[in-house]
Structures are given as structure tokens and as C-alpha cells.
Amino acid sequence: AVLKQFFSGKGAKRMPLIPLRDTVVFPRVAVPVIVRRDKSIKALEEGMKHGKIVALVAQHDENATDPSAGQLHKVATVAHVREVVKQEDGSVRMLVEGVARAHIKEIASKEPYLVARLEPMPDASANKSERTEALMFSVLNQFRRVVNMGANVPFDVLLVILNVTEPALMADLVAANLEMTVDEKQDVLEAETAEKKLEAVNAALNRQVKLLQMASKIQADTGKELDKMQREVFLREQMKSIEKELDTLGGKGSEDELKTRIEKAGLPPAAKEKALKEYDRMKAMPSFSPELSYVRTYLEWLSDLPWDKKDESNVDIALARKVLDEDHDGLVKVKERILEYLAVQKLVGKIRGPILCFVGPPGTGKTSLGKSIARALGRKFHRVSLGGVRDEAEIRGHRRTYVGALPGRIIQGLAGVKTKNPVFMLDEIDKVGTDVLRGDPASALLEALDPEQNNAFSDHYLELPFDLSDVLFVTTANMLDTIPPALRDRMEVIEFPGYTEEEKLKIARHHLLPKAMKDNGLAPRACVFEDAAVRAVIGSYTREAGVRDLERNLAAICRKVAKREAEEGDTKGERGKGRKSGKRGSKVAKRDQVVILATDIAKYLGPAKFSDSMKEEKDEVGAVTGLAWTEAGGDILTIEAARMPGKGELILTGHLGQVMQESARAAYSYARTVAAENGVIDAFYKDSDIHLHVPSGAIPKDGPSAGLAMATALISLLTGRKVRKDICMTGEITLRGKALEIGGVKEKVLAAHRAGITTVIMPAANKKDIVDVPREARRALTFVFVKHMDEVLSAALTDGAGAKAAAAGARAAKKTGKKAARRSRKTASPIKRKPAPRRAKPSKKRR
Ligand code: ADP
């Protein structure tokens, strides 16, 4: 009735309107539609009340939730609602059958649902021309192709379409049942004539055919790829069964051998269980699996580790003492400390105490003493250098999932020595870096070293705890400052201060020379070094706390001797074929013994590298010898002061660190105060610059301990009094000239001793440190302990030149007419003559 009314009356009729997002409803075609929006459901309810008729229209804009008139197409379909099913989620599923097209004249109201004023549209006119026939033929043809190529069309629909004879209906049916865009469908709906409808469908089908062709090509290509893979899998399976066959023919395979190894490795029960499980997993893997080799490597690592293999180790203190003494000269305190440590181990059974840490400059025997301990205990020795390690994984290993993963260095080391109780040396523990991104190696180290927790050290690669409590860890470092505090806390520090000349001589005689001769193929008596010769090498070719350079230089001499021997041997061999008498032979041998004298050294090693004594340098104005502490032990350095015309600036050069620069300023201020008190008026500074320079580029220069020396250099410059060259000094200065305590006394004093200095000035507060200085150096040196700069000046400055300078100062003062300068004749006013600062020249004089 409603429909009749709709079509009969004239003008537009009002009707509830439902907007559709993704489809178009065609006249005479039934389709299911789902209605979700509240407004649409209300419109549907309204339609159901009035003859089950609603109008449906496609949206222009698919995304509009509450479309306005502009977002809707202009042609709607009036439809008959056949079925309505309310879904659980609140939406409504309905089956509609299109009745007729209608123009939307306007949207009459928007709330509570859309109401449109509609004007019925006539059916698409159909005059069966030839063109229409041809189009129908083409549409059918293409439709068939599309279906053949896999388009999804229900069978009954297919039958209907194939049998349709009416052109407009055919177009509508095809459009409704194929995948076409909403716009394409709407075009079909709106077309005025059947012919136009068919044309629109034809174009859409054309596009569809192309799409399907492309899709099937892509599929064909993928199919080929798949075939190849299947073939490969098949071949590999075949290979595997062949391998199996061969295995049964040839007896036990290598995999079974691995199993025995795992069983014999002495793993703790839990670990063994895990290992065997992994083994079973590996057995089950296809032979081409990439994981297979990973698991295999893992199991090999597990079976290589010394889970329960220990070296028999009896601590015999007397024997240990003998071995340590045999291998090393000197180091009395160090050896004593190590023997105590071993004695405790003997009593307790296992050491649960702190870890040993050997601290000292390079070449002082830290590593070789570690080897000696291993020898004394009858254990294996393993050394790992930690210098530059920044990655936690280097200590603790990579996780197994990581490509190319390996256990950490500690586990690797143990697998290498094959016992679980070696002496394990961790070298350069002070050089371990930290990198936020790569974990903290120090904490991994701590876990390995800490006796409280190292009986279950977890390596990321192993994934099983390993007991490190039998390992005797010894660490070495050049300095303590950079060792992470948590580690330092757990370590017992044993200092290796460096050697005196006497000690070096002994070490050279007993260890370095025999070794150098042997290494260079010389018989034990082939070459004899005079004591003075060794001393010459120590004093003029090396300046170090340890004995590395000494060892190198002695080896160089031996090498040259060996080379000469070899050359002479060749010529002798040609000449002396007749001389076979034993008597003559032995005489020749004796004559062949090479004696190395002090005077020969330059022949072997070239010109001396260091002057062996500061005593022989001349005293100078404005140049003071200071003492520095470095990682390589102590060193001496010269501090120079100079004055030149300028604007009263203080120039500091020589790569001084921040603290040292501040210390220089303090020394400068102090020197100015002193000068002013002594009548050297300030005008002096106004027209001159003062330059403080510390040469020796290789020595890192920072810290406050050069304060006294810098102040002395400045005051020497201002007063014109010379500084004694046989004196050196170290100590911090305050603005009022007080001397403050400094560190590194032992190393500094040894350096002064090496350099041939006679007197060392240092703060009184450092008196306590002198007991640590080796006796030989202590005896050879005079120490002046000072509390104030005054004492430094009276010890370090000479007087002879002072008088002359004072006179010069007086003359200068007269010339410029400065009253203050005249007042005191004793202290010199600025002298115009500036002594050129000189560097220490190497002297070839030898003792
Ligand atoms: P470090 O580990 O402290 O850098 P090394 O242990 O490598 O030093 O020692 C360097 C060389 O000096 C080694 O050949 C070592 O045998 C030798 N050496 C050092 N100190 C002594 C000593 N007291 N007695 C014998 N040889 C020594």
C-alpha cells in the first residue's frame, strides 16, 4: 500500500533514509545489509511501522559517521525489508529487496533519523538495439572469465545471471554480485539507459579481469619458489637417512663420542642432566638445521671445562719460599706477604679471604711473580689482560642466542688450562672501562672474584653455574685510583714500588743476563759483563722503575755479540781447518770469551739516552727540578720560569692539568707577596709577563705537588738567585707559603735517586712515608723536611749569584728611581738580565 501510494501520487514523498557505507542496493536484487548506527536503526524501525519500506543510499564518504546531505549520493533505492534479525552486539541484520530508484530532493529532517523527500525515477529504458546485444554478450563473456579466474559468486546467482535476458537487470545483477567499488556500483545504478548501465558494468569487469590476471601471475611465481623448497627439504631428508645408514654401518658416530665426553666431564648432576637433555635435542634435529652446530659447540664447551679436575696442590711453605727466591731478586716484603697468604691457605684449606692485587709500575715483576706462585704451588698459570675491556660479555660471555657466541674470558681460560684450581692472573684491572650500553664488566669481575659468591659464577653462555672457588685469582694494576671501588674493597693490595740501581744490578746478573744470553744462543760463559757496564746501561740508557728497558737493552747487546760470534765463526771455520788440537782449541775458546766493559756500551747501544746525574748540571736562575708521580713510577721534571716585557700576565705552558694550573697561580700569588714584602715593587709586574713552563711532554702533569717547585722557580727569577741542581723538591703550597703533604713519596724518591740527585725537599708531613723507601735510596739521599717556603728557599737557592744580582738590582733600582727597591739592598729587585732557561743536555759522562 505504501509503495502504491509512493508511485501513484505526484511530487516528492517523505521516507526514512538509511545511509550505507560500502554497498549499493539495486532494484529487483535482494541483498543482506547490516545496520549499526543508532540513527539508521531508528529509521529502520520507522520504515517497519509503515509497510516495511525504507530508502537506502550509498555514502560518498565512507568514513562519515553522521553523513550530511553533501556526503550522500543523490540517487537512492527504495527497498522492501524482507527479514530483520537483531544481533547480539546491538546491530541489525536485514534482508532487503530493491524496488525502485528515487531522486533525493532534500533531507527533510536529520533527527532522530534521516528523512528524505524522494521523487521516484523511471526504470532504465531499454530498447534492444544491436549495441545493447553486443554489450550484453561482452558482459557475459567477461563475467564468465572472472568467475573462471576465481571470483567468488554463489552458484544460484551464477545460474540466474547466465539466464537473464533483460539488459538492465543483467547489469544490476552483475554489479550487485561482483567486487566493484561503491562508486562503480553507484554509476551503474544511476545510469539512465540499459545501454549505459551495461557500459559501466563492462568497464568495471575489464578492470577486474586485469587484476585477476596479475594476481594469478604472482601466485604462479610463488608456487615455483615453494616447489624448490619442497625439493630441498626432500633431498635433505634423504641425505639424513643416508647418513643414518652410514652411521649404523660404520659403528659409533662422532655424536656418540660427544655423549661419552659429556658423561665423563664430571659435571654436577643438575648440569649433567641439562647437558644430556640438550644432547637429546640435538640428536632429534634434522641435519640441515642451523641450530645443530650451535648446540654442538655448546656441548663441546661444556665437556671441555674442568668441572672436577684439580691439580694436586700441596702448600709447602719452605718450598714456596725457595721457588720465589729462585725466580726473583729483592721484593722481600712482597714475597713475605705472599708466603703469609699461602700459609693461611694451608691452614684453612681454601682461601676465603681477599684477592691479591699487585700494584706498581710496569716491569717490576708483577706478572712473573704470579707465574712463580703457580710454580711454587704446583699449579697451572693463566693470564688474561683486561686492558681496554669495556664489554661485560668479555667477562661473562654472550648469550647463546647471539651469533658466534662464546663464553667469557674466565671460562675460556679455565677450559684452556683444564684444571679448576689454576693461578689466574687478571692483568691491568685498573684499565677496565665501563660503557653504559654494554654492561658493567667490573660487576661481572666482582662476581667472579668475590669468594662469597664465586662458587656459582654464572656465565651467560654456559647458562650453568661454575664453581670458581678453587681458582687463585691474582690481579695487577699500575694504579689504584681507577679501580672501581667495589672491586678495590675486596682486594689486598701489595705494592711493587720499583727498584734501585743496586737491585737492578742484582736482577740483571741473576736473571736478565742469563736469560738474554740463552735467548740469543750464547753459551753461559760466552760473554761476561763488567758491573760498571751494567750500571752504565741502567744509568744512561734506561730511566724506569722496573726492568723492562734494561732487559731489552741487555738483550740487544747479547744479540749483537751473537751476531759477531756467528760471523767470526764462519770465517774461522774456513781458515782453521787444520787446527784441531785440543789444547789450542781451548785457548781459542778462552780468547773468544767476550768481556763487555762500560766503555764498550756506546758501541753496542749508541749514544747515551739520559745523563746519569743531575749533579753535573749547572745551577741556574729560574729552573727547578720537581718530582712527578706517574703510572710508570716516579720521574723528575724541570720547571722553568722566565720574564719578558708585557702586561703583567702569567703564562702557563706544558700541558698542565687543571689542578696544576691552579697550583701555579697560588705559587705566583705567593711569589708576588714575597717579592712585595721584600721591596720588589708591583710596577715590575705591570710591564712584564711571567712565563712558567714545564717541559717533558710525555709525562702527564697534574696535581698540586709541584707547588713548592713553581714558587721556588718564580722567586729565583725575581731575586736572581740560582737554584741548586742537585736538589729536587715536591710539595703543595698554600697562598701563605705553607707546605702541604703529597702522595707517591716512594716512587718520587726512587726517581730522584735514579737521576743522581743528592737532596730531596718535601713537606714535613710526608716524613712518615720515608720508611717505605728502599734503604739504599734512603741512605744515598739527604732529606729536608719543610713546613714553609722560607725553609725551601734557604735550602734550594744559592747565595753566590745572589749578591751579584742584588747589586744589579740596586743599579736597576737607581736607574728607575724606585724608592722601595732602594730600601732593601739585600733582596734583589728585578734584574733585567734574563737567564735563558736551558734544558738538561744529555751528558755522555759515565760512572
Ligand atoms: P710487570 O708484570 O710488573 O709489568 P713483568 O713481570 O712482566 O712486569 O716483568 C718484566 C721482566 O722483568 C720479566 O722478565 C721479569 O722476569 C723481570 N723481573 C722483574 N722483577 C724481577 C725480579 N725482582 N727478579 C727477577 N726478575 C725480575
Side-chain angles (χ1 to χ4, degrees), residues 363-434:
T364 45
K366 300 183 296 294
T367 312
S368 70
L369 197 68
K371 278 188 199 153
S372 232
I373 296 176
R375 191 163 87 89
L377 296 176
R379 296 200 195 178
K380 295 236 170 54
F381 178 80
H382 185 79
R383 174 176 166 268
V384 165
S385 178
L386 298 177
V389 167
R390 319 184 95 226
D391 198 336
E392 187 183 350
E394 295 212 37
I395 309 292
R396 215 201 271 282
H398 286 292
R399 298 208 179 270
R400 262 206 291 156
T401 45
Y402 197 88
V403 178
L406 278 180
R409 297 213 193 172
I410 292 177
I411 294 295
Q412 280 188 34
L414 290 176
V417 294
K418 296 204 185 329
T419 71
K420 65 183 294 197
N421 65 343
V423 174
F424 203 111
M425 178 162 267
L426 297 165
D427 244 349
E428 306 197 299
I429 199 160
D430 54 337
K431 308 278 192 303
V432 171
T434 43

Side-chain angles (χ1 to χ4, degrees), residues 327-329 331 361-368 499 507 511-512 547-548 551:
D327 291 351
H328 292 90
D329 262 308
L331 299 175
T364 45
K366 300 183 296 294
T367 312
S368 70
Y499 301 113
I507 295 173
H511 301 279
L512 306 181
V547 291
R548 282 240 174 104
E551 190 174 18

Side-chain angles (χ1 to χ4, degrees), residues 25 52 59 97 110 171 253 276 315 331 349 378 399 441 487 509 553 557 577 599 613 750 784-785 805 808 829:
V25 177
K52 299 187 178 180
Q59 288 181 205
E97 191 185 321
K110 287 197 80 177
L276 289 175
V315 186
L331 299 175
R399 298 208 179 270
L487 267 178
R509 278 251 165 273
N553 279 304
I557 296 176
K577 268 185 186 154
T599 43
S613 173
L750 279 174
V784 180
F785 298 103
S829 65

Side-chain angles (χ1 to χ4, degrees), residues 532-551:
V534 180
R535 279 185 208 277
V537 179
I538 297 171
S540 306
Y541 293 86
T542 70
R543 180 162 287 171
E544 53 172 356
V547 291
R548 282 240 174 104
D549 273 344
L550 178 60
E551 190 174 18

Side-chain angles (χ1 to χ4, degrees), residues 678 680 719 721 799 801-807 809-810 821-829:
N678 285 295
V680 182
T719 58
R721 289 168 71 186
D799 275 323
K804 239 167 136 191
R822 229 177 286 146
R823 217 178 299 146
S824 153
R825 293 210 80 223
K826 233 180 179 180
T827 36
S829 65

